[in-house]
Amino acid sequence: KNFNKNSSLNLKFFGGFGIPFGNSKLSMPYDYSFFGGGANDNRGWRARTLGPGSFKYYLDSTATTAQIGDIRLGGTIEYRYSINSSLKGAFFTDFGNIWTYKEDDSRVGAKFSNNWYEQFAVALGLGFRLDLDFFIIRLDFGVPVYNPALPSKSRWISQSREPYYQEGISYYSLPNFTPEMNRDRALSKLPKPFAPALQFGIGYPF
């Protein structure tokens, strides 16, 4: 929707669905699977770091579990405006996630379920675009504000981080360590919750 020649409201909604079969018993082949996050998806997360579902990726100590899915839902609301003839700005909200079609014991919480709408990750952000006529250079700064993978009382950016840290301490603790040592160990392994992401792209996200 164009408000005038210098500003507009732009909306994107998308969905995708695939069914694993044959040799792909739990999920579709990697090259055909959906992933979440990145410059053209949910910009509060780096590419392939969102989801699937409420899977607790931060408790994957080996960091080898693929964050891909068979189902994808989401969208974007973006207000675009002109700063001058070459420089454009934007405020945006991204939301969505990916899920698996079948239960996967290695990724608990990844399966699409009746509470799928509660597992939409949400990010807010702002961006700048350099319009060079023949192509556009885009820089977006996204901040996660709702992360469905975190404990229920730590999912919003305004909520306490302590349930998240306690979950990590419980998972990473060693029996011969003191409580202080186990907390330090967990904090060294846990990613910072709600860390902003800087995205670079060529052209508009949609």
Side-chain angles (χ1 to χ4, degrees), residues 123-174:
L124 299 176
L126 59 89
F128 296 98
R129 295 89 164 90
L130 184 60
D131 189 346
L132 302 177
D133 291 332
F134 51 95
F135 70 94
I136 293 172
I137 299 174
R138 173 166 53 90
L139 198 65
D140 289 325
F141 183 78
V143 179
V145 295
Y146 180 79
N147 187 342
L150 301 184
S152 59
K153 294 183 179 180
S154 291
R155 290 180 177 175
W156 288 99
I157 192 171
S158 59
Q159 292 179 309
S160 170
R161 311 288 194 271
E162 196 57 30
Y164 168 70
Y165 294 136
Q166 289 300 322
E167 188 176 51
I169 292 169
S170 176
Y171 181 82
Y172 288 110
S173 287
L174 295 176

Side-chain angles (χ1 to χ4, degrees), residues 34-38 41-53 55 57 67-69 73 95-99 119-122 146-149:
F34 299 108
F35 67 88
D41 191 70
N42 195 316
R43 286 165 281 181
W45 281 259
R46 290 179 291 106
R48 303 180 190 275
T49 64
L50 172 60
F55 167 61
Y57 58 89
Q67 289 180 247
I68 56 176
L73 292 171
F95 56 92
N97 207 336
I98 58 172
W99 295 265
Q119 297 177 351
F120 270 11
V122 181
Y146 180 79
N147 187 342

